[in-house]
Amino acid sequence: MATRPGGVNGGVLATLPARGRGDTVRHRIAGSTRARAEVPGEVIDQAIDQGFTTSLERIASGVVGTEEQKLTVVRQLANEMLDSVTAAISLAYTDHLEAEVVEDQRVRNALAVALLAGRETSTVTRCSGFEVAASYSVLAVHFPSGPDDRSDTFVTQMDVRRMIRNIRAALDRHGSVRALSRLDVRGGVILIPSAETRDLDTLLAVLSAAAGVDVTATCAEAPPAKVPETVDQLCELLDLVQRIQRPPGLFRFADLAVEYQLTRPSAVRRHLDAILNPLDDHPILMETLCTHLENNLNRRRTARQLSVHMNTIDYRLKSIRKLTGFDPSSADGLWYLQSALVVRKANYQEK
């Protein structure tokens, strides 16, 4: 907006990007330069305002005609200047910021891929300046499917991309500015530097709100070299959480240590699974057992949920004891029946 030598009108009009595509392109380039130099947007806005004031005063002083004619010319030029300059510079800033976001995410993706594969990260960090943390909070996350269980539709894919953007933005807002993620329609992995990790349970609630779905996750701490091994273990735990139908939330190995061990391949697992075989031909008894355990052995609540009398619940529990040999009302019998249900719900196929 600065004037050039050559007279009032000549100087000012030489700088007005009013009519040509070339002028708009030049201002886009100028805006990109200012954006790369990290000139604050408010400084640019102030410069434009000052430039407009100076330019319009000079134009008005050089226009010949009545005051009304001068006002018409100045108003027309002002509109053209405003449209051209502000639009061009705003677009330039937007393009630059979007390019920075894309580049930042490209670097994060490359580093995440290297860490998850157990590969050397020095090439990525040397070229980008992005540092590898000494330790990470590793989260394996799962997104629930749509109501029709079709996660591959076009609309759902668009929703998932938006959801992933929201999750990454929430991570940045949460203070995890160096968080890495590899996410898709089913879920994925998030790596948060331990030094930037806050309350993970609160963070999962924040991510669920940002995603618009109830996210389920498993978590553990790991140094960079142990990330691949830790992710494999967390994915196994996440698979177990889904198989035994736990509600959405954040789970650690300590939360499911017994269930995790019970579902490891062993003769014990096969024995526990066989405990419930006598109930396979009695689905009502199996339903009663599951409901009773879910209601924390509250007979009244179980009876109400199954729409039967409490005496009927007592009769069914006795039948379960006769068929399986384990009494649901005793501590030992209850432990075996609960363990058997964990194994049965996990439903792993023996290799």
Side-chain angles (χ1 to χ4, degrees):
M1 298 299 291
T3 59
R4 298 175 184 172
V8 175
N9 282 348
V12 176
L13 292 178
T15 67
L16 295 181
R19 297 177 176 81
R21 173 179 172 80
D23 296 310
T24 301
V25 172
R26 282 194 292 275
H27 276 274
R28 286 285 294 273
I29 295 173
S32 297
T33 302
R34 301 297 178 268
R36 286 194 298 272
E38 298 184 356
V39 178
E42 56 268 22
V43 173
I44 298 297
D45 291 340
Q46 184 179 7
I48 291 176
D49 290 341
Q50 293 175 349
F52 264 61
T53 300
T54 301
S55 298
L56 294 177
E57 287 176 353
R58 292 179 177 239
I59 291 171
S61 65
V63 174
V64 178
T66 64
E67 291 299 319
E68 184 177 353
Q69 290 172 333
K70 291 181 180 181
L71 183 59
T72 300
V73 171
V74 170
R75 184 186 295 115
Q76 180 180 356
L77 287 174
N79 288 334
E80 292 176 348
M81 290 164 63
L82 182 63
D83 290 344
S84 180
V85 175
T86 57
I89 293 180
S90 297
L91 287 172
Y93 260 76
T94 301
D95 290 346
H96 175 73
L97 293 176
E98 288 180 350
E100 280 194 331
V101 169
V102 170
E103 176 61 18
D104 177 73
Q105 192 56 53
R106 186 192 68 79
V107 172
R108 293 196 194 194
N109 285 340
L111 188 55
V113 168
L115 286 169
L116 292 173
R119 296 202 301 262
E120 179 60 48
T121 60
S122 59
T123 301
V124 178
T125 56
R126 185 170 56 250
C127 295
S128 66
F130 208 96
E131 296 181 358
V132 175
S135 176
Y136 286 95
S137 293
V138 185
L139 284 80
V141 301
H142 170 72
F143 304 140
S145 302
D148 57 356
D149 216 24
R150 295 180 60 191
S151 303
D152 57 348
T153 63
F154 178 72
V155 173
T156 302
Q157 289 285 2
M158 292 180 62
D159 291 340
V160 167
R161 285 195 292 271
R162 186 182 305 109
M163 179 176 64
I164 291 173
R165 287 196 301 270
N166 291 341
I167 287 175
R168 287 171 174 163
L171 283 170
D172 289 342
R173 289 194 301 271
H174 194 72
S176 306
V177 294
R178 292 188 299 158
L180 310 173
S181 61
R182 295 292 292 169
L183 303 170
D184 60 22
V185 65
R186 296 171 297 277
V189 178
I190 297 173
L191 306 176
I192 305 174
S194 297
E196 299 174 7
T197 302
R198 302 178 185 176
D199 181 2
L200 288 178
D201 294 277
T202 300
L203 175 60
L204 187 69
V206 170
L207 297 183
S208 294
V213 295
D214 291 326
V215 178
T216 301
T218 54
C219 67
E221 295 289 317
K226 294 289 187 180
V227 165
E229 175 185 343
T230 302
V231 168
D232 288 342
Q233 294 171 347
L234 288 176
C235 287
E236 283 188 26
L237 189 64
L238 187 61
D239 181 53
L240 173 62
V241 169
Q242 296 171 63
R243 285 176 179 271
I244 64 177
Q245 301 171 7
R246 288 296 183 92
L250 184 66
F251 298 89
R252 299 164 178 83
F253 278 103
D255 299 325
L256 298 168
V258 174
E259 291 87 344
Y260 183 81
Q261 192 59 41
L262 286 174
T263 54
R264 298 304 88 200
S266 67
V268 172
R269 191 176 80 183
R270 291 190 294 272
H271 171 72
L272 289 172
D273 183 60
I275 288 176
L276 297 178
N277 286 346
L279 300 184
D280 288 343
D281 295 329
H282 302 275
I284 292 179
L285 294 182
M286 180 69 81
E287 179 188 20
T288 300
L289 177 62
C290 293
T291 305
H292 192 49
L293 293 178
E294 289 171 358
N295 287 326
N296 198 26
L297 310 184
N298 188 312
R299 291 163 50 251
R300 185 182 302 278
R301 191 183 305 158
T302 300
R304 184 166 57 249
Q305 187 170 335
L306 296 178
S307 301
V308 297
H309 195 276
M310 279 196 298
N311 290 340
T312 302
I313 298 299
D314 291 337
Y315 175 79
R316 292 179 183 179
L317 293 178
K318 290 178 182 178
S319 298
I320 291 171
R321 182 190 62 193
K322 291 178 181 179
L323 289 171
T324 64
F326 294 95
D327 186 358
S329 62
S330 71
D332 287 343
L334 180 62
W335 190 92
Y336 276 99
L337 289 170
Q338 285 180 313
S339 299
L341 275 174
V342 168
V343 173
R344 180 63 67 92
K345 285 181 178 181
N347 192 31
Y348 289 105
Q349 297 297 319
E350 293 289 352
K351 295 182 180 179

